[in-house]
Amino acid sequence: MGRDRVIVVGAGHASAQLCVSLRQGGWEGEIVLLGDEPSLPYQRPPLSKTFLHGTTTLTDLLIRGPEFYEKEDVTFRHARVTGIDRKAGTVALDDGDALSYDRLVLCTGARPRSLAVPGAELAGVHALRDAADIEAIRGTLRTARRAVIVGAGYIGLEAAASLRKLGIEVAVLEVADRVLQRVTAPEVSAFYDRVHREEGVDLRTGVGVAGFEGDRHVRAVRLTDGTEIPADLVVVGVGVLPNVELARDAGLAVENGILVDEHGRTDDPAIFAAGDCANHYDVRYATRMRLECVANALEHAKAIAGAICGKENPISALPWFWSDQYDLKLQIAGLSTGHDEVLLRGNPADGRSFACFYLADGRLIAADCVNRPKEFMFSKRAITQELAPDRELLADPDTPLISLLQTPARSAP
Amino acid sequence: MGTITFVEHDGTPHQVELEDGSSLMELATNHGVPGIDGDCGGEASCGTCHVIVDDAWITTTGTRTDLESQMVEMSPECGPNSRLACQLRASPALDGLTVHLPEFQM
């Protein structure tokens, strides 16, 4: 009799963590990792930074080295899955093969949203998602002089910072009226706006892109008001769409991601989904959500490994994020959705270090910390413990944060 | 070329082959040592590779940097020899090193 087999579709952060957590949880069956990129799972966050600069190679970025997969008896195969036959319990591969599974985990990730404007297919217009995207951008850097970034979210701003570091002229275009509008308080947006301008970025908010000009290669970006901005390199960073097609075609429930419960399980008990493609029920927040970050992918993987190994470990970890731009290390703890108050420690209008705390009913629910690792680690603990710290002391830079952890939690007003 | 030993909080030791130039976090995660997560991949952004260097070795490894201090000092398990494994680079001088893992990574 053959061993039971887990098939993991997609090879990103969630997939690598699944291999680790399945073996640590006692899974003795086969693990087959199917990736549609040739590489073993690699770290994505450095793509827009050190990998773009060429100071790291893809080998440097591997989440675990090849020796790990060998030692843990994980089979990696470079293949794209084209369909799932749930009745037969098989997946079909693009090379014509079919593989049977006992448990199937979909880690299909997300793909960059493209701009539906004329010229979007021109050479020199790039997305920024995987290693191949960055390699394509890197190939143009020797000659690129003027870059335009479309979208002032984290990806767009990180790309802007990396290209400025290389001495390239950069314009950033954002349709909203402030940068990072979807994810941060106005105070934090204003801070990043100021820093990017100080670093020489031509930052324009409240502008729409009408199209890209050029014959074969992009030459300029045309705005909806008719303005043309010269560009020989364009990076589009306007968000991602979850890759749900495999799941949907197999009849699994899909709504802004593949719907999974708090164990990462779809409505088919043998099939799970993890990472950017999954919309999970979260125990901590008692609601559904789809997040796009490394920490979320790792938490999903741990929960799914728990479910497969019979050691329940529902999705409940505090989400956190980070973004490195110039000399700024931004660390974010928690989700700010639903906050009714913002408190600052340090001054975002001056210098390059401050923390922005988000409160709801007096309780700390999230924090954006710029060059403030201590505030970040404090927030992780305080949010997890549902503390309602004294507002004045929280905002007072002379009050040691650790003292706010030691005071007993008072009930929220 | 030598070994480094990671001791889990419950006392379970994991001996790992030392690879010159790798960080201790990379060595631990590549060998599946439980108790070291290294979620951020080594950017000192997450604080999930907290280790406590054995007393006998702290002069060789050196004490933590200011950045590491800011990351680990909020942990209830932080001690004078606490470091982030991603900021400790393996070298032949660390052959035989023992580090202890906290009960929880933050």
Side-chain angles (χ1 to χ4, degrees), chain A residues 102-118:
Chain A
D102 297 282
R103 298 282 186 278
L104 180 65
V105 189
L106 302 174
C107 307
T108 47
R111 60 180 176 275
R113 208 183 273 273
S114 54
L115 282 180
V117 297

Side-chain angles (χ1 to χ4, degrees), chain A residues 123-355:
Chain A
V125 179
H126 298 270
L128 202 167
R129 176 74 187 177
D130 55 30
D133 293 331
I134 304 297
E135 279 160 357
I137 294 173
R138 242 167 35 182
T140 71
L141 292 180
R142 197 178 283 274
T143 51
R145 292 288 168 269
R146 302 170 70 97
V148 170
I149 315 283
V150 184
Y154 289 121
I155 290 290
L157 294 183
E158 287 174 7
S162 291
L163 293 173
R164 281 302 297 145
K165 258 188 180 167
L166 294 170
I168 294 170
E169 278 186 48
V170 176
V172 174
L173 311 177
E174 169 57 51
V175 68
D177 62 2
R178 59 183 173 93
V179 305
L180 300 174
Q181 186 197 38
R182 201 166 60 94
V183 285
T184 62
E187 291 86 343
V188 181
S189 294
F191 170 81
Y192 276 95
D193 188 292
R194 172 172 67 81
V195 168
H196 278 276
R197 289 180 199 280
E198 285 172 2
E199 297 287 347
V201 171
D202 172 9
L203 180 61
R204 308 186 191 196
T205 53
V207 295
V209 170
F212 302 107
E213 303 292 329
D215 295 327
R216 203 191 63 79
H217 196 280
V218 68
R219 174 176 51 72
V221 179
R222 186 164 39 82
L223 303 183
T224 46
D225 68 2
T227 311
E228 280 199 9
I229 305 174
D232 43 27
L233 168 64
V234 171
V235 179
V236 179
V238 294
V240 294
L241 297 168
N243 292 324
V244 299
E245 289 73 11
L246 266 184
R248 195 180 52 206
D249 293 349
L252 298 169
V254 163
E255 191 186 333
N256 180 29
I258 303 164
L259 293 185
V260 296
D261 67 9
E262 66 270 34
H263 306 293
R265 190 179 261 126
T266 66
D267 44 6
D268 180 332
I271 305 181
F272 300 78
D276 288 9
C277 70
N279 182 329
H280 75 266
Y281 180 80
D282 193 284
V283 171
R284 168 182 302 273
Y285 292 99
T287 186
R288 284 200 160 279
M289 58 181 70
R290 190 179 69 77
L291 301 175
E292 296 156 4
C293 66
V294 171
N296 178 63
L298 303 183
E299 176 69 2
H300 284 182
K302 290 173 188 172
I304 291 169
I308 291 176
C309 297
K311 297 166 185 169
E312 288 202 350
N313 179 25
I315 300 166
S316 59
L318 184 73
W320 71 276
F321 314 81
W322 79 98
S323 174
D324 293 338
Q325 300 166 40
Y326 309 110
D327 55 349
L328 310 175
K329 182 187 274 294
L330 168 66
Q331 295 162 295
I332 301 166
L335 300 175
S336 61
T337 314
H339 72 273
D340 52 27
E341 188 179 1
V342 161
L343 280 176
L344 297 168
R345 182 176 263 242
N347 182 8
D350 187 43
R352 295 196 171 192
S353 164
F354 71 99

Side-chain angles (χ1 to χ4, degrees), chain A residues 62-74:
Chain A
L62 293 182
I63 297 174
R64 313 267 163 161
E67 66 277 17
F68 167 80
Y69 299 93
E70 199 174 319
K71 180 169 158 260
E72 299 294 351
D73 187 23
V74 174

Side-chain angles (χ1 to χ4, degrees), chain A residues 64-65 71 322 329 331 381, chain B residues 29-31 43 45 74:
Chain A
R64 313 267 163 161
K71 180 169 158 260
W322 79 98
K329 182 187 274 294
Q331 295 162 295
R381 264 188 80 181
Chain B
T29 55
N30 276 335
H31 289 83
E43 301 184 3
S45 289
M74 287 291 158

Side-chain angles (χ1 to χ4, degrees), chain A residues 13 17 20 24 43 45-46 49 60 62-68 71-72 294-295 298 302 320 322 324 329-331 371-378 380-381 401-402 405, chain B residues 19 22 25-48 66-77 84 105-106:
Chain A
H13 287 268
Q17 184 64 44
V20 177
Q24 285 181 354
Q43 309 278 354
K49 300 142 213 161
D60 297 331
L62 293 182
I63 297 174
R64 313 267 163 161
E67 66 277 17
F68 167 80
K71 180 169 158 260
E72 299 294 351
V294 171
L298 303 183
K302 290 173 188 172
W320 71 276
W322 79 98
D324 293 338
K329 182 187 274 294
L330 168 66
Q331 295 162 295
N371 292 337
R372 295 273 180 141
K374 200 178 277 187
E375 277 76 354
F376 170 68
M377 296 305 281
F378 160 81
K380 265 188 167 182
R381 264 188 80 181
L401 288 166
I402 200 144
L405 288 172
Chain B
E19 283 167 48
S22 293
M25 184 277 287
E26 289 166 334
L27 290 182
T29 55
N30 276 335
H31 289 83
V33 175
I36 292 203
D37 296 337
D39 289 354
C40 74
E43 301 184 3
S45 289
C46 66
T48 63
D66 181 50
L67 172 62
E68 288 171 73
S69 286
Q70 295 196 49
M71 292 295 293
V72 297
E73 281 174 4
M74 287 291 158
S75 165
E77 298 178 76
L84 290 180
Q105 296 289 352
M106 272 181 72

